[in-house]
Amino acid sequence: MTVRPIRLFGDPILRSPADQIRPELLGSPGVRDLVQDLVDTVEEPGRAGVAAPQIGVGLRAFSYNVDGEVGYVLNPELVEVSGEPELMEEGCLSVPGLGYPTRRYPYAKVRGVDVDGDEVVLEGTGLMAEALQHECDHLDGTVYVMTLDPEIRRQALRDIRAQDWFH
């Protein structure tokens, strides 16, 4: 369908928890179009995940593009994380050009559904674990810079205010 523009840090939709997609809407043309737009948008080079709020849609859905595997999940819930949280250099399409050390669990598991209402389970380590946690944060209304250690967060917010794209 369409590669949608990414909403940038400061846009109120990124700070609002996304709504569940009601079961009766699964399979509808609107939800199918949303999924296609999420997949088209995440397939752009250098993208590991795109949450629906990042394209201006306040629904619980995200797409991913990790290690050549592209997919999506609707109504995802982060159901398991494990291991000792590690600092990983993380970036975000909604905070372009910047990256900061972020604490993430080395393993994550998400459970949700596809457009037909069938269960989807995504799990992984490394970049997949990071992407699952990052995208679920977006759906809860959290941009990763707000989860940074306080001193790093202060620097990140200064850096963001200095960007041309920040209004």
Side-chain angles (χ1 to χ4, degrees), residues 53-118:
Q54 290 182 282
I55 61 170
V57 179
L59 294 174
R60 290 191 72 84
F62 71 78
S63 57
Y64 61 92
N65 184 355
V66 176
D67 297 329
E69 182 182 348
V70 176
Y72 72 92
V73 62
L74 307 177
N75 294 337
E77 296 297 331
L78 188 62
V79 295
E80 184 181 345
V81 292
S82 66
E84 193 64 36
E86 303 168 357
L87 280 177
M88 308 173 92
E89 190 67 21
E90 190 162 320
C92 180
L93 298 172
S94 294
V95 187
L98 301 173
Y100 299 96
T102 306
R103 291 191 190 286
R104 295 290 184 193
Y105 290 94
Y107 169 84
K109 181 177 183 177
V110 165
R111 184 171 280 125
V113 296
D114 66 13
V115 290
D116 297 316
D118 296 325

Side-chain angles (χ1 to χ4, degrees), residues 19-51:
D19 294 327
Q20 290 279 337
I21 298 170
R22 295 191 326 262
E24 64 270 18
L25 295 179
L26 292 173
S28 70
V31 171
R32 288 184 186 281
D33 288 349
L34 171 61
V35 165
Q36 190 61 58
D37 288 354
L38 283 167
V39 169
D40 289 348
T41 303
V42 83
E43 286 183 321
E44 291 287 293
R47 295 181 172 182
V50 174

